[in-house]
Amino acid sequence: MKFKINGLREPGNLEKERAVIEILEDGNVGTLIVASTRQQGEGSVSSEIKNSYWIPDQDVQKGDLIIIYTKAGKKNNRVTPTNSTSYFFYIGLEAPQYNEADETVVVFDISDWKSLRRN
């Protein structure tokens, strides 16, 4: 899944804090995980992640936006005037997760994963 992070909007404001991801090719965003971490320098982040959120399966098209709010809410979408779609997802936290200037968002594409079934 090709994407780019368009920004982290309103950090520190629970009602408006959100990450914006632009989709660069048709696909399904169910392979993406969004998390918070700390910047460690130009182009480098900490390996310590917090508040990971695995985006639910959703077919998307090039030009669509994925908006991940920190607050609680109900998944929904809206078609834009340019005929792309904005999809809204909610992590469900009760406090903002980007309060400090060095806190940022990181997005992982986990196209291949394994799990272990416990008995």
Side-chain angles (χ1 to χ4, degrees):
M1 164 100 320
K2 291 186 180 177
F3 63 90
K4 74 176 182 178
I5 302 172
N6 274 1
L8 181 59
R9 309 280 193 257
E10 302 279 340
N13 179 344
L14 179 62
E15 283 305 305
K16 296 182 178 183
E17 184 177 84
R18 64 205 182 274
V20 180
I21 302 166
E22 181 180 349
I23 302 303
L24 301 178
E25 68 180 6
D26 294 358
N28 189 301
V29 293
T31 63
L32 300 181
I33 292 179
V34 177
S36 61
T37 190
R38 291 191 179 276
Q39 298 173 161
Q40 290 192 317
E42 189 64 36
S44 178
V45 295
S46 169
S47 61
E48 181 181 339
I49 61 171
K50 304 182 297 184
N51 303 316
S52 60
Y53 177 76
W54 192 340
I55 302 175
D57 286 331
Q58 175 65 60
D59 290 331
V60 293
Q61 296 180 346
K62 181 180 179 180
D64 287 349
L65 294 177
I66 304 300
I67 295 103
I68 311 291
Y69 276 91
T70 298
K71 67 181 181 178
K74 185 174 181 174
K75 175 188 167 197
N76 61 74
N77 64 65
R78 177 180 15 192
V79 177
T80 69
T82 61
N83 222 22
S84 63
T85 303
S86 293
Y87 295 92
F88 301 90
F89 298 91
Y90 300 84
I91 298 174
L93 298 180
E94 295 179 358
Q97 61 180 340
Y98 303 104
N99 288 318
E100 303 298 326
D102 66 344
E103 292 173 322
T104 193
V105 62
V106 62
V107 181
F108 301 95
D109 182 347
I110 57 158
S111 298
D112 186 29
W113 58 274
K114 307 284 186 272
S115 68
L116 175 67
R117 181 178 175 95
R118 293 183 54 188
N119 294 330

